[in-house]
Amino acid sequence: MRTIVDSQYFPCIAYFSLLKSKDEIWIETQEYFEKQTYRNRCYILDANRTLPLAVPVKGGNKKIKMADIQIEYTHRWLNDHWRAFTSAYNKSPFFEYYEGYIHDILFKKQTRLLDLNMEILSFCLKALHIDTKINLTETYESTSKSQFEDMRSLIHPKKDYLWSQIHEPVPYQQLFGQEFAANLSVLDLLSNTGPESDNYL
């Protein structure tokens, strides 16, 4: 049975836990962009709190397909995100090994959000040694059909009760905080555990 998931920006750990469990997966490209989701945001841990970082998009309130949604560059979000990443993880054990790749991906300044997300996904899969085959959907699959496993929007920042069924968080050493912050962006896992990240998943 085919498994379909949404595209995410520096996806959370549960997302990669799901991908690692599958031989093949389909990324939804024909759905309408949905705000307040991981499609254009990620969560990292800085010295003060769990910090949300969102990529601004053009026409986010309109019905625009994920394949067509464009990134808005009039805001200085690129510099803000990069500053946040380096501030949060510069002193972590392994961030320096990934820093150059992450910088190059971000400052390539892709036009479409999907292209940015796919480049991030490709980098993360290599870093995590996950060889799941990734496909892009060409038509929208209705939820009324039963021939696929619909995981779209189940890994959601406001639906902990759903993603926790996919990934049971196990604490690892984080740079900040007294309590473990679960299911952050995979950047947190890579920066803190490096080559052990794939074993963690």
Side-chain angles (χ1 to χ4, degrees):
M1 180 178 288
R2 295 197 304 164
T3 300
I4 303 180
V5 299
D6 45 295
S7 172
Q8 296 191 5
Y9 174 69
F10 284 108
C12 62
I13 295 171
Y15 188 87
F16 286 102
S17 183
L18 171 66
L19 264 59
K20 190 176 177 68
S21 71
K22 305 293 181 180
D23 294 324
E24 192 170 9
I25 210 151
W26 273 258
I27 305 290
E28 177 62 81
T29 70
Q30 301 302 308
E31 65 176 357
Y32 290 133
F33 172 78
E34 185 180 336
K35 298 196 312 181
Q36 302 293 316
T37 67
Y38 288 124
R39 288 165 180 79
N40 70 322
R41 68 179 56 218
C42 69
Y43 291 78
I44 64 172
L45 185 65
D46 71 5
N48 301 309
R49 60 191 171 103
T50 299
L51 179 68
L53 297 171
V55 177
V57 296
K58 299 178 181 178
N61 293 320
K62 301 175 183 177
K63 288 187 175 181
I64 301 177
K65 290 181 179 179
M66 186 65 191
D68 300 323
I69 200 82
Q70 295 188 356
I71 300 171
E72 176 64 76
Y73 284 103
T74 55
H75 305 290
R76 292 178 57 85
W77 70 270
L78 264 179
N79 292 328
D80 291 342
H81 284 208
W82 183 245
R83 191 180 305 112
F85 290 152
T86 54
S87 175
Y89 299 118
N90 222 15
K91 294 181 179 178
S92 65
F94 299 101
F95 180 72
E96 64 179 303
Y97 297 104
Y98 310 109
E99 183 176 2
Y101 298 104
I102 296 167
H103 180 276
D104 290 348
I105 290 171
L106 281 175
F107 286 89
K108 193 173 181 178
K109 298 185 74 171
Q110 296 279 7
T111 300
R112 300 190 308 165
L113 177 63
L114 180 64
D115 292 331
L116 172 61
N117 287 358
M118 289 305 297
E119 199 156 346
I120 290 169
L121 179 62
S122 178
F123 157 72
C124 291
L125 289 173
K126 290 177 183 176
L128 294 165
H129 306 293
I130 296 175
D131 57 6
T132 302
K133 182 181 178 182
I134 304 296
N135 308 285
L136 300 179
T137 61
E138 296 181 353
T139 58
Y140 181 75
E141 299 281 1
S142 170
T143 53
S144 63
K145 298 180 181 179
S146 59
Q147 62 267 41
F148 67 92
E149 182 184 22
D150 188 2
M151 304 297 288
R152 293 171 294 194
S153 292
L154 290 188
I155 300 176
H156 191 289
K158 297 181 180 179
K159 298 178 181 177
D160 289 1
Y161 63 97
L162 288 176
W163 67 251
S164 61
Q165 298 174 29
I166 299 167
H167 169 74
E168 184 176 348
V170 176
Y172 55 85
Q173 186 65 48
Q174 293 174 319
L175 209 57
F176 303 111
Q178 298 297 319
E179 296 183 5
F180 177 70
N183 203 38
L184 297 175
S185 166
V186 71
L187 281 179
D188 189 82
L189 180 66
L190 286 170
S191 297
N192 287 301
T193 67
E196 292 299 315
S197 297
D198 59 332
N199 293 330
Y200 175 85
L201 294 172

